[in-house]
Amino acid sequence: MPAVSKGDGMRGLAVFISDIRNCKSKEAEIKRINKELANIRSKFKGDKALDGYSKKKYVCKLLFIFLLGHDIDFGHMEAVNLLSSNKYTEKQIGYLFISVLVNSNSELIRLINNAIKNDLSSRNPTFMCLALHCIANVGSREMAEAFASEIPRILVAGDTMDSVKQSAALCLLRLYKTSPDLVLMGEWTSRVVHLLNDQHMGVVTAAISLITCLSQKNPDEFKTCVSLAVSRLSRIVSSASTDLQDYTYYFVPAPWLSCKLLRLLQCYPPPEDGAVKGRLVECLETILNKAQEPPKSKKVQHSNAKNAILFEAISLIIHYDSEPNLLVRACNQLGQFLQHRETNLRYLALESMCTLASSEFSHEAVKTHIETVINALKTERDVSVRQRAADLLYAMCDRSNAKQIVAEMLSYLETADYSIREEMVLKVAILAEKYAVDYSWYVDTILNLIRIAGDYVSEEVWYRVIQIVINRDDVQGYAAKTVFEALQAPACHENMVKVGGYILGEFGNLIAGDPRSSPLVQFNLLHSKFHLCSVPTRALLLSAYIKFINLFPETKATIQEVLRCDSQIRNSDVELQQRAVEYLKLSSIASTDVLATVLEEMPPFPERESSILAKLKKKKGPGAVSVTELDDGKREAGELNGGGDRGPDTASTPSPSADLLGIRSAAPVGAAQTNAVAVISHFHSYPFIPYLSCCLSASIPALFCGLSLHPCPVLWPPSSAPPSEDPAPPLSEADELLNKFVCKNNGVLFENQLLQIGIKSEYRQNLGRMYLFYGNKTSVQFASFTTTVSCPGELHKPVEPLVEGGAQIQQVLNIECITDFSDAPLLNIKFSRYGGALQNLTLKLPVTINKFFQPTEMSSSDFFQRWKQLSQPQQEAQKIFKANHSMDTEVLKAKLLGLGTALLDNIDPNPENYVCAGVIQTKSQQIGCLLRLEPNAQAQMYRLTLRCSKDTVSKRLCELLAQQF
Amino acid sequence: MFEVMKFEWAGRSGLIAFRSSQSFVCCLISALTKAGTTKTCQPIKIIMFALVANQKVVRDWPCFGVVLGGSFLPRGGYTVLLFKMQFMLLFSRQGKLRLQKWYVPLSDKEKKKITRELVQTVLARKPKMCSFLEWRDLKIVYKRYASLYFCCAIEDQDNELITLEIIHRYVELLDKYFGSVCELDIIFNFEKAYFILDEFLLGGEAQETSKKNVLKAIEQADLLQEKSHSA
């Protein structure tokens, strides 16, 4: 061992480092560094050529300064110069500088690559290693381009020194990671695989990392490595601790290589060859046996190395998941570690057991450790260990132990670290739902959850409890009673108020018989919380109040009083004010029958994936989900929700909040002109009677929006699939009906003796939303009611298949204008009346191109300038036609405004004429339009002229408008 | 932690390194939007549409993906590669960084941010705590030797205990080379600490685990050094 001379003669460097260390303050340090940088700069720029030693010294100083955290913007050239020095130490410093401070300056990269090339071909193993280290450290694409073909050759050449082979293997690995396309193994594959048989353990250790990475990507090509790896492993495992000389680490033979071999095997399924498999199982058993032997050394390194192999072997056993015997043994071994005095081992045992819990062979064995794990959750001093314990409890939970585990997790929540509370809450909520045998237990659990950790209970959790209570009538009474009791606590969490408000509003009547929870008591209890709550909660409470008026007419006066007071009816928050006003009005004008219908109990929610599970998946990322999904697959039955829709494909279910985004993006892009309007619907149904729906649809959905905006369109029961019969051709009067809506957005689209279809629509730029109200005018139910919107050949979506007699359902269509179009989308409606024939009618949806107008105000000069610009013959469309309707000025103005354009005054020299301007917004472009309408009152004629930047639009608008006047 | 993806589209190729598949989708979407989606190949389109709804979440992710090159679209699938050890840091009890080795491409700014955060986290831990901790998407394995903390970041599926022993072996190498190493040796001979590390670990993987062999390599280099000095 050579004596280490500090700084290797670079005295200047040592002095500089001492100086920096002696600096008393940050400022002094910066001052000293700036002085040094100035010095180095002047040295590099100076006329006198620097000798190699000085260059090395200064480059080293720069490196030191950089590593202190300061920026270095020069010296790269000097470092590159050092690379071509024939003095090893200068070369070494040059390479170090390049490795640490590489910079994608292409000029420099070329020079660096040149120097590397020289060193690689120098046949001096030390220089070759330096060059390879540099490539591995930098690993840029340019380097891959330059050396990816050269390095495999070095790796497998017979005369390459072992140390160079090692560097070459890992260097190649790094290049493969950066630029897999440039590293072509082809002809080298089998020779690389055979490095597993190399005499030199170091070569095997380095090569196996490369082989593992390559087999992950091309498992078939590298398949032969399995048997080689097994035999190598078996030789190591069975060797005595002294056989491998320096590769024995604290009496453990080749721990790194063993781990890497076991890891490589995890890229493949269990070996098919019986002999190979037998040998491997033997190895794994030996490893498990060794764990039981008394330690050969008291040093922690010995046990760490030994256990590293053991854990890797257990990973392989879990990966195979086919040897029940090994799985159970692994579980027992981990069980011992659960009570080990080493924190590290306890941590790893908990973590590893989590994966074991998902195997059907070892699930039961894992469950036997429940007491130890619970104890760990309570007593571990390190939060990361407690977190692992919580994870394991979650993983080992099933029907048999759910109550115990949930109870323990709940009690842990009271003292849990803030960092993990939210996740714990989600887990408790999921377990409670998944393994609930009686719903009262479920409701209790969730309410406890809110009580203990209300702040961490996300919306999804309380939505879910409400969904379940609404869908399960056997638990409604109990839920009402329990929330009522929970609300009596002097301080309760806002989430509790939300749940309480919702549930009492729906099911308060179920407990009203008890004088202790009479309607007024319930109301007063809820209202006592009102003023402490946030706006959304208050809005919810207001809706609960109106529901109370319906449930308990005796509370009407009290509640109206509350609604009438200034703090409600004049509330500065628009939403609250609107609700107060509307509810007050509703309660005073509507008859009890009407109230009862409007405020009917919420219909059951469609069964779907639990929103909390989706949230947990998102939170934990795909890795953590696999455990849960395995669980689901194996123990599917008995979910509270009964939904089997939890397959692996649900991992990507859009979150509720992102729902709209998801739908929007699914719109066909660049569709042909004729089906340019993408109509997307999002359906909600509320059992309102027709005339009230307009006033209420704005506020009731707002109340329940959190619950109804879940991704639902795809999950509607398949039974509502439309009848196979073809849609009828459009009604003869369809065009006429369409024309009624050119200048207005709301009204009745269609009516016959059975059905009335009302429309409300709003447009903004290129987007629109249309509410369709289907009213059943008869007293009998419509069955298999389906509607299909096609813009020709487009999307269709199911509607609630039943429309009760006298009822109305609502459908919402979201519309996006992709490009200009002339044909309106078609709406096909099919339904059968009880005993009657199938009704099949097709209408045109009143979506016309002018709906996407944005009015444009402009001056007279602007107008005429533009008018002249649009002077190509096809840009203009003109029509002279007889007046069909009144020529009254006000009527005309209203129509032109309804068209969506700006009506411009004082532009046309003739004041009788009308001039309008607007821009049609489509997704792909904006189309400017100018309009001139010249009435001739005497002849009862009009002349209509349109000029648009797009000819098809002029024509279409002209056709549409000619029908309007 | 990092997934590196290479894409080729219309003859141009690019590389994207991402922290997660979600940010991948986010960046991919923006790349696609710029490139015009009509030529999107089918599988990616599906992935994109499946995940586009998560965009909100994506935006909240601390994404330090680097995008190199122009527009990207995969041709015939894409490759996802994982780096094993992400980086190694040595720092003192006072939080001074003594050595840093990065096995993933990151910007200087990002490196500084990670260092700052990690040093803080590790220094805050109590002596008897477990040597492993989850940090961002990574596992941190650390151990304290006298006044120095040795700290490695590894992938989720990597072996913690063997990493702990990698640290120990490195300490042994330093100890043997310097003869009972102390922090000062590493400060004044930082370049040697880097050279030894390169002989032992390359690209985040163990290159040579035999103590003798590593030291032999360093010894040889030192001999060359002396030769060149006397020459």
Side-chain angles (χ1 to χ4, degrees):
Chain A
M1 180 63 39
V4 182
S5 50
K6 303 281 184 219
D8 282 329
M10 290 193 279
R11 190 153 297 126
L13 176 66
V15 169
F16 175 60
I17 296 174
S18 302
D19 280 0
I20 297 284
R21 286 179 52 76
N22 291 333
C23 286
K24 293 260 172 350
S25 66
K26 192 82 194 161
E27 289 72 30
E29 184 185 309
I30 290 173
K31 213 173 141 199
R32 178 69 186 88
I33 285 170
N34 285 338
K35 190 180 148 205
E36 194 62 38
L37 285 176
N39 174 38
I40 299 173
R41 215 185 286 263
S42 73
K43 284 286 190 313
F44 282 168
K45 280 201 182 140
D47 310 326
K48 222 171 69 189
L50 287 176
D51 58 9
Y53 167 76
S54 316
K55 231 183 256 175
K56 177 182 87 171
K57 185 178 70 184
Y58 292 129
V59 166
C60 218
K61 278 183 183 176
L62 285 179
L63 195 54
F64 182 77
I65 293 170
F66 177 79
L67 291 170
L68 280 179
H70 301 269
D71 293 332
I72 294 295
D73 53 4
F74 68 103
H76 301 80
M77 203 56 209
E78 284 72 15
V80 174
N81 285 342
L82 286 176
L83 295 185
S84 42
S85 161
N86 50 10
K87 289 191 179 141
Y88 176 78
T89 137
E90 287 166 20
K91 197 186 270 295
Q92 203 182 18
I93 296 290
Y95 272 125
L96 181 59
F97 185 92
I98 300 295
S99 308
V100 175
L101 265 129
V102 78
N103 165 325
S104 53
N105 184 332
S106 58
E107 200 60 16
L108 227 45
I109 284 285
R110 232 190 41 233
L111 291 171
I112 296 168
N113 281 355
N114 248 339
I116 292 176
K117 201 162 275 170
N118 288 337
D119 282 335
L120 281 183
S121 50
S122 70
R123 311 195 60 78
N124 174 337
T126 325
F127 285 6
M128 287 173 87
C129 281
L130 268 187
L132 289 169
H133 291 177
C134 180
I135 301 175
N137 281 328
V138 176
S140 70
R141 182 148 184 99
E142 289 85 354
M143 286 194 174
E145 276 162 3
F147 303 110
S149 52
E150 172 72 15
I151 295 171
R153 204 167 300 141
I154 298 175
L155 177 60
V156 296
D159 57 348
T160 308
M161 296 266 298
D162 289 331
S163 61
V164 179
K165 272 191 193 168
Q166 288 166 273
S167 299
L170 293 177
C171 183
L172 195 58
L173 171 60
R174 177 64 194 264
L175 292 185
Y176 184 76
K177 284 173 174 175
T178 333
S179 317
D181 56 325
L182 296 176
V183 179
L184 303 168
M185 293 312 294
E187 45 181 319
W188 313 116
T189 305
S190 86
R191 295 172 76 178
V192 170
V193 171
H194 277 89
L195 288 174
L196 286 178
N197 269 339
D198 202 283
Q199 292 283 315
H200 192 280
M201 293 282 273
V203 173
V204 188
T205 309
I208 193 167
S209 299
L210 174 67
I211 294 167
T212 307
C213 181
L214 291 169
S215 346
Q216 275 166 356
K217 305 304 160 200
N218 325 290
D220 287 341
E221 288 169 45
F222 285 82
K223 224 164 35 199
T224 46
C225 71
V226 174
S227 60
L228 291 179
V230 170
S231 61
R232 189 93 213 191
L233 180 69
S234 136
R235 266 180 282 160
I236 297 173
V237 169
S238 57
S239 66
S241 53
T242 48
D243 288 356
L244 301 172
Q245 293 157 1
D246 208 36
Y247 288 92
T248 299
Y249 179 84
Y250 291 87
F251 305 102
V252 181
W256 286 281
L257 183 53
S258 308
C259 285
K260 285 183 174 194
L261 286 164
L262 289 162
R263 166 70 30 160
L264 171 62
L265 291 171
Q266 287 172 56
C267 302
Y268 290 93
E272 282 155 20
D273 182 333
V276 177
K277 189 171 180 189
R279 210 163 168 196
L280 178 56
V281 170
E282 222 169 84
C283 284
L284 295 171
E285 279 171 346
T286 315
I287 294 172
L288 285 168
N289 290 339
K290 278 191 179 174
Q292 296 296 330
E293 288 171 12
K296 295 197 176 69
S297 154
K298 283 212 167 74
K299 288 249 162 82
V300 69
Q301 283 76 26
H302 171 71
S303 80
N304 277 353
K306 202 164 104 177
N307 292 327
I309 300 173
L310 177 64
F311 277 107
E312 206 61 65
I314 292 176
S315 294
L316 182 63
I317 293 170
I318 296 171
H319 169 76
Y320 286 163
D321 197 12
S322 59
E323 300 285 329
N325 173 35
L326 288 178
L327 281 162
V328 171
R329 281 194 65 184
C331 183
N332 293 339
Q333 183 59 53
L334 293 176
Q336 290 180 14
F337 285 155
L338 286 181
Q339 303 187 33
H340 203 277
R341 61 189 162 76
E342 277 273 325
T343 314
N344 289 346
L345 281 181
R346 295 198 302 273
Y347 175 96
L348 293 174
L350 288 166
E351 185 179 63
S352 203
M353 244 188 201
C354 257
T355 34
L356 270 180
S358 58
S359 162
E360 55 178 320
F361 301 116
S362 49
H363 182 77
E364 287 305 316
V366 171
K367 272 169 62 186
T368 59
H369 299 288
I370 183 165
E371 295 302 336
T372 322
V373 182
I374 287 173
N375 197 40
L377 188 64
K378 285 178 179 160
T379 57
E380 281 291 348
R381 272 186 293 173
D382 185 345
V383 51
S384 36
V385 185
R386 290 199 296 272
Q387 163 100 58
R388 290 288 83 81
D391 286 350
L392 179 52
L393 281 181
Y394 178 73
M396 67 163 67
C397 190
D398 63 15
R399 192 74 67 70
S400 69
N401 55 20
K403 281 200 175 173
Q404 186 188 6
I405 286 180
V406 166
E408 291 295 346
M409 285 174 107
L410 269 177
S411 75
Y412 172 60
L413 250 181
E414 301 195 43
T415 52
D417 303 76
Y418 295 106
S419 53
I420 60 172
R421 281 198 184 178
E422 190 183 351
E423 197 186 313
M424 292 281 299
V425 166
L426 285 175
K427 284 182 168 165
V428 170
I430 289 168
L431 292 179
E433 177 184 339
K434 199 163 157 190
Y435 299 114
V437 254
D438 66 296
Y439 302 107
S440 47
W441 174 73
Y442 171 75
V443 170
D444 281 342
T445 305
I446 301 293
L447 293 184
N448 266 328
L449 206 53
I450 296 176
R451 210 172 7 234
I452 293 168
D455 283 343
Y456 299 89
V457 173
S458 55
E459 305 220 299
E460 285 85 349
V461 173
W462 75 262
Y463 289 171
R464 192 68 188 152
V465 68
I466 284 174
Q467 285 175 10
I468 285 170
V469 168
I470 288 196
N471 287 11
R472 289 274 159 191
D473 38 20
D474 47 343
V475 75
Q476 288 161 355
Y478 181 79
K481 182 167 158 280
T482 324
V483 284
F484 178 77
E485 282 161 9
L487 284 174
Q488 279 168 326
C492 60
H493 195 271
E494 192 164 334
N495 279 334
M496 186 70 87
V497 179
K498 288 179 186 164
V499 176
Y502 201 115
I503 289 184
L504 292 182
E506 294 288 328
F507 310 113
N509 53 332
L510 300 178
I511 55 166
D514 188 329
R516 284 167 301 177
S517 54
S518 72
L520 263 179
V521 174
Q522 285 185 39
F523 170 74
N524 287 332
L525 181 61
L526 274 184
H527 197 56
S528 68
K529 316 282 179 196
F530 186 89
H531 300 279
L532 300 170
C533 293
S534 64
V535 168
T537 310
R538 289 191 200 185
L540 186 150
L541 284 178
L542 286 181
S543 301
Y545 296 170
I546 185 79
K547 290 238 166 188
F548 264 56
I549 292 185
N550 174 45
L551 289 181
F552 318 116
E554 66 266 38
T555 60
K556 184 168 169 177
T558 320
I559 291 175
Q560 281 182 333
E561 198 58 41
V562 167
L563 291 176
R564 202 175 288 127
C565 74
D566 278 358
S567 63
Q568 310 294 358
I569 213 159
R570 294 187 204 280
N571 195 295
S572 60
D573 184 89
V574 179
E575 181 65 33
L576 291 183
Q577 192 189 80
Q578 185 181 358
R579 285 189 191 210
V581 171
E582 284 177 0
Y583 292 160
L584 185 59
K585 205 75 194 156
L586 178 66
S587 65
S588 38
I589 58 170
S591 68
T592 36
D593 281 355
V594 170
L595 266 186
T597 320
V598 174
L599 302 169
E600 202 179 9
E601 205 175 278
M602 287 295 285
F605 288 87
E607 300 292 353
R608 59 174 76 110
E609 185 192 24
S610 160
S611 49
I612 15 181
L613 195 60
K615 169 143 183 175
L616 186 71
K617 285 179 186 175
K618 228 160 49 190
K619 216 176 141 56
K620 293 290 277 181
V625 181
S626 57
V627 179
T628 340
E629 275 173 1
L630 254 169
D631 276 2
D632 286 345
K634 283 176 182 155
R635 282 167 272 129
E636 179 89 58
E639 277 173 38
L640 185 52
N641 202 4
D645 57 357
R646 233 179 250 189
D649 56 329
T650 50
S652 59
T653 304
S655 68
S657 53
D659 199 9
L660 282 170
L661 241 177
I663 286 175
R664 172 106 40 90
S665 69
V669 178
Q673 203 169 339
T674 42
N675 55 5
V677 179
V679 184
I680 301 136
S681 96
H682 200 139
F683 176 75
H684 307 281
S685 109
Y686 295 101
F688 302 136
I689 54 157
Y691 78 89
L692 263 168
S693 56
C694 288
C695 98
L696 270 176
S697 58
S699 38
I700 300 284
L703 160 62
F704 302 122
C705 64
L707 301 163
S708 52
L709 275 176
H710 287 288
C712 72
V714 282
L715 294 171
W716 282 85
S719 61
S720 65
S724 55
E725 194 173 317
D726 291 334
L731 295 178
S732 51
E733 68 269 31
D735 277 315
E736 199 179 305
L737 295 172
L738 175 77
N739 282 330
K740 284 204 302 191
F741 283 87
V742 170
C743 294
K744 63 176 185 177
N745 287 335
N746 305 330
V748 174
L749 174 68
F750 173 82
E751 185 159 13
N752 62 15
Q753 65 274 34
L754 304 176
L755 178 73
Q756 183 194 49
I757 305 173
I759 283 193
K760 260 186 80 182
S761 50
E762 54 202 41
Y763 294 89
R764 216 167 153 193
Q765 303 200 320
N766 69 326
L767 300 177
R769 177 167 298 160
M770 181 175 282
Y771 300 85
L772 291 168
F773 302 92
Y774 303 97
N776 181 346
K777 289 170 69 182
T778 67
S779 54
V780 293
Q781 192 183 64
F782 288 162
S784 9
F785 190 88
T786 56
T787 67
T788 317
V789 174
S790 52
C791 36
E794 257 316 301
L795 308 143
H796 69 87
K797 68 271 325 127
V799 189
E800 182 79 318
L802 301 178
V803 183
E804 294 297 335
Q808 187 188 44
I809 57 169
Q810 179 191 347
Q811 181 178 27
V812 183
L813 304 174
N814 286 325
I815 300 164
E816 183 177 17
C817 180
I818 309 286
T819 172
D820 66 303
F821 61 99
S822 31
D823 291 346
L826 298 178
L827 171 69
N828 175 255
I829 301 148
K830 293 197 192 104
F831 58 91
S832 50
R833 214 152 38 109
Y834 179 71
L838 179 80
Q839 306 282 326
N840 183 349
L841 58 104
T842 300
L843 299 164
K844 287 196 173 175
L845 267 190
V847 179
T848 46
I849 185 72
N850 65 295
K851 299 292 181 197
F852 304 98
F853 256 132
Q854 290 274 103
T856 321
E857 297 288 347
M858 55 177 75
S859 67
S860 170
S861 58
D862 279 350
F863 183 86
F864 284 108
Q865 195 192 344
R866 289 184 199 194
W867 185 266
K868 277 181 203 131
Q869 278 166 1
L870 298 170
S871 57
Q872 288 169 33
Q874 31 334 356
Q875 287 178 329
E876 185 181 278
Q878 197 173 60
K879 211 165 191 171
I880 299 169
F881 53 91
K882 228 176 156 40
N884 295 318
H885 305 280
S886 147
M887 288 185 82
D888 180 81
T889 322
E890 290 312 310
V891 174
L892 283 180
K893 276 188 180 167
K895 280 185 178 169
L896 287 169
L897 284 172
L899 188 65
T901 51
L903 184 57
L904 306 174
D905 290 332
N906 304 325
I907 292 204
D908 203 294
N910 179 352
E912 300 291 323
N913 292 348
Y914 299 94
V915 169
C916 302
V919 176
I920 291 179
Q921 307 271 352
T922 73
K923 194 178 176 215
S924 54
Q925 65 181 132
Q926 299 192 337
I927 304 158
C929 301
L930 302 174
L931 177 154
R932 193 180 195 205
L933 182 69
E934 299 160 274
N936 182 337
Q938 281 160 340
Q940 289 283 304
M941 297 282 278
Y942 288 104
R943 181 163 72 179
L944 174 70
T945 315
L946 273 148
R947 287 190 176 186
C948 302
S949 53
K950 198 158 180 187
D951 49 86
T952 45
V953 176
S954 311
K955 249 181 32 221
R956 177 64 184 152
L957 280 176
C958 197
E959 279 165 23
L960 281 173
L961 290 177
Q963 313 292 322
Q964 301 301 317
F965 302 104
Chain B
M1 170 183 73
F2 260 82
E3 300 173 12
V4 172
M5 297 170 192
K6 208 203 135 267
F7 294 116
E8 267 183 46
W9 182 67
R12 295 163 76 183
S13 61
L15 239 185
I16 320 180
F18 293 103
R19 263 201 80 216
S20 72
S21 56
Q22 280 167 312
S23 32
F24 149 59
V25 172
C26 180
C27 296
L28 183 65
I29 290 161
S30 68
L32 288 179
T33 324
K34 280 182 208 139
T37 44
T38 40
K39 287 176 190 165
T40 320
C41 71
Q42 210 51 37
I44 282 297
K45 202 172 183 177
I46 292 164
I47 297 173
M48 194 177 81
F49 283 142
L51 288 172
V52 72
N54 283 331
Q55 243 185 349
K56 192 172 147 274
V57 193
V58 171
R59 239 177 276 127
D60 298 337
W61 277 62
C63 157
F64 44 91
V66 254
V67 180
L68 316 164
S71 335
F72 332 90
L73 270 186
R75 186 184 289 156
Y78 55 88
T79 358
V80 178
L81 292 171
L82 303 162
F83 290 89
K84 206 171 172 112
M85 190 187 289
Q86 312 280 317
F87 53 82
M88 187 185 213
L89 301 176
L90 253 77
F91 50 88
S92 70
R93 236 168 39 172
Q94 290 75 36
K96 286 245 185 224
L97 195 57
R98 296 299 179 206
L99 181 141
Q100 45 175 324
K101 190 80 190 177
W102 302 86
Y103 299 111
V104 284
L106 291 171
S107 71
D108 285 347
K109 204 175 145 201
E110 199 54 51
K111 285 180 188 170
K112 279 185 187 165
K113 193 172 160 229
I114 291 176
T115 310
R116 206 168 44 235
E117 259 181 60
L118 207 54
V119 167
Q120 233 171 25
T121 316
V122 171
L123 287 180
R125 290 179 63 89
K126 297 194 185 77
K128 284 276 169 183
M129 282 187 164
C130 138
S131 310
F132 321 123
L133 62 124
E134 285 189 343
W135 182 80
R136 297 197 184 176
D137 299 350
L138 296 176
K139 273 194 296 208
I140 304 296
V141 177
Y142 73 93
K143 191 162 180 179
R144 184 177 155 183
Y145 288 88
S147 61
L148 275 183
Y149 283 88
F150 289 69
C151 173
C152 292
I154 54 172
E155 277 285 332
D156 189 45
Q157 65 275 22
D158 285 340
N159 192 315
E160 294 94 340
L161 284 175
I162 209 74
T163 311
L164 209 50
E165 293 319 298
I166 283 203
I167 293 178
H168 187 74
R169 170 99 319 165
Y170 181 50
V171 174
E172 282 185 349
L173 288 167
L174 292 172
D175 198 59
K176 191 91 187 190
Y177 181 79
F178 289 108
S180 149
V181 68
C182 68
E183 195 182 339
L184 279 181
D185 291 320
I186 296 174
I187 297 173
F188 280 96
N189 302 284
F190 67 95
E191 77 284 7
K192 284 282 186 287
Y194 279 93
F195 297 146
I196 295 172
L197 186 57
D198 270 354
E199 288 294 336
F200 174 45
L201 287 180
L202 196 56
E205 302 274 353
Q207 174 177 216
E208 177 55 86
T209 58
S210 150
K211 194 154 71 175
K212 259 189 214 147
N213 289 354
V214 174
L215 290 170
K216 207 163 72 194
I218 298 285
E219 233 171 280
Q220 270 171 357
D222 281 341
L223 280 176
L224 276 175
Q225 189 163 314
E226 279 176 5
K227 249 188 274 167
S228 61
H229 268 275
S230 50

